[in-house]
Amino acid sequence: MTKSKDKSSAELSPSERKTLRCVVGHMIPLSQEFGVPGADNPEIFADILQSIDRDRDAVGEALRVIDALAQGRLIDLPRPEQARCLLDFRNGYRALASVIESAAARCYYRDERVMASINMEARPPFPKGYAVEQGDWSLLDPVRARGRIFRDAN
Amino acid sequence: MTSSLDVEKDTPAMKDPVDVLIIGAGASGAAVAWSLAETKMRIVCLEQGDWTKPSDFPSTGRDWEARTLEDYAISPNRRGLPSDYPVNDDASPIKIANYNGVGGGTVFYAAHFPRLHPSDFRVRSLDGVADDWPVDYHTLEPFYELNDRMMGVSSLAGDPAYPEKKAMMPPIPMGRTGEKFGRAMNQLGWHWWPSDAAILTQEYDGRAACINLGQCGSGCAQGAKGATDVTYWQEALRSRVELRTQCRVSRIETNEAGMATGVFYFDADNNEVFQPAEIVIMACNGIGTPRILLNSASERFPNGLANSSGLVGKNLMLHPYAQMRGHFDESMDGYRGAPICTWSMEFYETDPSRAFLRGYSYQFSRGIGPVRTAITGMDDGLVPWGDGHHAAFRRLFDHSAGMVSICEDLPEEINRVTLDPQRCDSNGIPAAKIDYRLSDNTRRMLDHSVARGIEILKAAGAHTITTKAPLPYAGWHLMGTARMGTDPRRSVVNEWGRSHDVKNLFIVDGSIFVTSGGVNPTSTIQALALYIADQIKSRIYELFD
């Protein structure tokens, strides 16, 4: 692979980081039931911050929209009002919401604690690979019995 | 070696002349290079990207899914790597996908490897639409077979949707997904069959067998997938074909006789170089090829090179996809195994009782990893934000499977590639701009495939079914923008790939497709490249007549 893209985008400001952390915490919250951290967990959130290079501009725009919907700063609202504001954001700004959803999911679903909770080995696919069942090839007998279905074009 | 012209400032360096210059080291460039190597001509291939290292592929790291959306994203605009050139696809509902590097699109493709059908070459004669090809299935058949051997294809002989084909090695595993959909298709009385796949199921030609990494779409770290960097190129390099990477061609030069004299390109250090050549072969895909031809406009060829027909860049075909996915109560194959396992050609041939001409194939596909499950789940409204997120995610993860339909895209001049008046690549070369819209015939075909797909999913016992038509990020198959034909007024290259206008210029990529068929084009692109190479060899003493 050739060189990676230049990291020309500026990092998020402290204020943007707080808003983003609040947003991803609402999106994927901590769960006692499933024994998993939220996406605002310090380790996961640090991973998110390090991974949004290509989405920096879109994330910034999304955070500005969210604060505008909050008529101030999202983080200053009580939690139920934050949730209502984010529902409006998700319903009204699908493209921007998708950017944050993708950024959060890309990091959340590789955290070892989360992997363990969904019964997935925390390892790369290579070099061990996976097993896949061959399946029952006799299922093709009716397809064979039907005969050819293509048009000859000579 | 470089001539003394190098020392003159602002003058492109001049390389020693070569017999054959190939532009692009992807599916077709590799095949034509390998085939011509036996002539002992001096052959150079220029590739704007670089070699990939299998150890760099996403499947070797814990962040494997994330990287498929970052530096290994299918969109060149998303990747934005130095090897990529921007493609303005704002005016298209289908976004362009490619890979720029040795191996080209085969580095990222799923290795689903169907051939066109005999009827695909006789569309005008059989169905009264578009045009017949100037070659037919039987002409290409030996080159399909040769290509299968070079790429390493697994399959099951006896598919009633095709003329007889030899099987080299057992097909890829059907898995729970293939079996589930196979039973459903039998219930409906519809055709299905294990896919031909350029994926090794046993050791072959020094390459190891597939271990079901599931990441064919972002490079195969095992080397089991037939990408041309591990197949054709290894042989071609041993035969002393020279492959220069990080060399981006800007334009093709011509002389007073209207013959190509060579190409200008930018090397890795951004130096402009002129490479003289006796024969120039374009293998840059259905967007890259018209881009270079249009960028090669000159006083001699004011509308772009090889464009007396006005058809360079026109008739772009992309294969609109529809995606139908469902969820099952039991665990499925999930992220394990080659993503595509079986196909159906039930709705491939024209049926007068349907509301559209021509047809489509289905690819049945396994599940997706946790990241994509979460992203698509949230996007489809199946996974909420908040406390319900975790339970909803677990209902979907490892429980999904589905299919895509690949619809035949008929050629229309309104669908085209032009030069973007604003955007350029990192070398200042104008970017490609895509104008593309779906025809009414295509929309009806997509609708039909969605409706039948839902029937299949229900027959298989799926619930929570989602559909997308057209699938936006699926512009893989780039065809038709320099079509072949016998009439110079209605085609760009002749029936053996030579430009009608420039007698030593050949095109071997998907640009020369006359129609698209309803299946993935790579095996046909490569069979055509081998056929054209064979024609060059057999006509070598009258090549420019």
Side-chain angles (χ1 to χ4, degrees), chain B residues 386-532:
Chain B
D387 291 334
H389 177 96
H390 300 285
F393 172 88
R394 282 157 179 76
R395 282 193 293 274
L396 304 186
F397 177 59
D398 233 12
H399 288 71
S400 76
M403 71 210 71
V404 293
S405 60
I406 303 102
C407 295
E408 173 154 357
D409 204 0
L410 290 169
E412 295 183 277
E413 291 188 22
I414 196 171
N415 293 332
R416 61 196 186 275
V417 179
T418 54
L419 297 179
D420 191 285
Q422 271 99 39
R423 297 188 206 182
C424 293
D425 63 26
S426 57
N427 294 114
I429 305 168
K433 180 177 185 296
I434 309 303
D435 287 278
Y436 178 89
R437 58 122 173 91
L438 299 175
S439 69
D440 290 341
N441 191 67
T442 299
R443 287 185 185 281
R444 288 193 291 271
M445 200 184 306
L446 282 167
D447 291 346
H448 187 275
S449 73
V450 170
R452 299 294 84 74
I454 291 171
E455 285 181 53
I456 297 166
L457 283 162
K458 287 182 175 173
H463 55 79
T464 323
I465 293 168
T466 60
T467 66
K468 291 186 177 73
L471 196 59
Y473 291 93
W476 274 115
H477 305 158
L478 314 171
M479 302 165 286
T481 50
R483 66 202 321 234
M484 67 192 315
T486 54
D487 182 352
R489 295 166 302 175
R490 295 294 309 145
S491 55
V492 176
V493 299
N494 71 7
E495 64 273 27
W496 39 281
R498 191 186 72 181
S499 159
H500 290 299
D501 300 347
V502 182
K503 304 294 187 192
N504 62 342
L505 175 66
F506 291 79
I507 304 176
V508 297
D509 57 57
S511 305
I512 64 177
F513 275 39
V514 180
T515 55
S516 70
V519 293
N520 308 48
T522 302
S523 71
T524 302
I525 289 171
Q526 293 183 303
L528 276 169
L530 293 173
Y531 166 71
I532 292 168

Side-chain angles (χ1 to χ4, degrees), chain A residues 29 55 109-110 146 149 154, chain B residues 62 78 138 160 346 389-390:
Chain A
D55 296 313
Y109 285 102
R110 66 186 182 210
R146 184 178 161 199
I149 63 168
N154 286 330
Chain B
R62 284 283 316 283
R78 171 76 180 174
H138 295 293
E346 180 66 27
H389 177 96
H390 300 285

Side-chain angles (χ1 to χ4, degrees), chain B residues 224-457:
Chain B
K225 188 180 79 168
T228 60
D229 57 335
V230 299
T231 58
Y232 280 109
W233 274 118
Q234 300 305 315
E235 299 268 353
L237 294 176
R238 277 196 286 274
S239 300
R240 302 195 175 183
V241 173
E242 182 187 352
L243 173 52
R244 290 183 208 149
T245 59
Q246 300 184 64
C247 293
R248 174 175 282 144
V249 172
S250 57
R251 61 196 162 93
I252 299 167
E253 185 62 290
T254 57
N255 62 17
E256 299 78 8
M259 300 285 276
T261 55
V263 305
F264 289 94
Y265 70 92
F266 291 92
D267 67 14
D269 298 319
N270 204 27
N271 298 313
E272 191 172 24
V273 178
F274 182 69
Q275 174 61 66
E278 297 295 327
I279 298 172
V280 175
I281 300 177
M282 305 193 73
C284 320
N285 80 41
I287 290 177
T289 286
R291 179 188 179 219
I292 291 175
L293 291 175
L294 294 172
N295 272 319
S296 300
S298 62
E299 285 186 13
R300 214 170 279 127
F301 297 99
N303 298 319
L305 197 60
N307 198 21
S308 64
S309 66
L311 292 176
V312 168
K314 293 181 179 172
N315 295 304
L316 174 67
M317 298 174 284
L318 293 176
H319 275 157
Y321 276 54
Q323 182 187 65
M324 291 67 67
R325 295 195 65 80
H327 298 85
F328 297 85
D329 292 335
E330 62 272 38
S331 288
M332 301 294 285
D333 297 318
Y335 48 87
R336 309 163 196 87
I340 302 165
C341 50
T342 54
W343 67 35
S344 172
M345 304 294 170
E346 180 66 27
F347 304 105
Y348 196 85
E349 304 283 3
T350 295
D351 181 340
S353 70
R354 297 182 200 131
F356 55 88
L357 287 165
R358 307 297 298 158
Y360 59 88
S361 62
Y362 281 125
Q363 301 173 357
F364 293 100
S365 49
R366 305 185 212 269
I368 47 182
V371 169
R372 285 187 186 272
T373 298
I375 291 172
T376 57
M378 287 191 275
D379 200 45
D380 292 336
L382 301 177
V383 175
W385 288 21
D387 291 334
H389 177 96
H390 300 285
F393 172 88
R394 282 157 179 76
R395 282 193 293 274
L396 304 186
F397 177 59
D398 233 12
H399 288 71
S400 76
M403 71 210 71
V404 293
S405 60
I406 303 102
C407 295
E408 173 154 357
D409 204 0
L410 290 169
E412 295 183 277
E413 291 188 22
I414 196 171
N415 293 332
R416 61 196 186 275
V417 179
T418 54
L419 297 179
D420 191 285
Q422 271 99 39
R423 297 188 206 182
C424 293
D425 63 26
S426 57
N427 294 114
I429 305 168
K433 180 177 185 296
I434 309 303
D435 287 278
Y436 178 89
R437 58 122 173 91
L438 299 175
S439 69
D440 290 341
N441 191 67
T442 299
R443 287 185 185 281
R444 288 193 291 271
M445 200 184 306
L446 282 167
D447 291 346
H448 187 275
S449 73
V450 170
R452 299 294 84 74
I454 291 171
E455 285 181 53
I456 297 166
L457 283 162

Side-chain angles (χ1 to χ4, degrees), chain A residues 78-100:
Chain A
R79 190 165 173 85
E81 288 186 35
Q82 289 176 346
R84 273 194 292 277
C85 178
L86 291 173
L87 183 62
D88 291 343
F89 169 68
R90 199 182 175 199
N91 290 335
Y93 299 86
R94 273 307 308 154
L96 288 176
S98 292
V99 172
I100 298 185

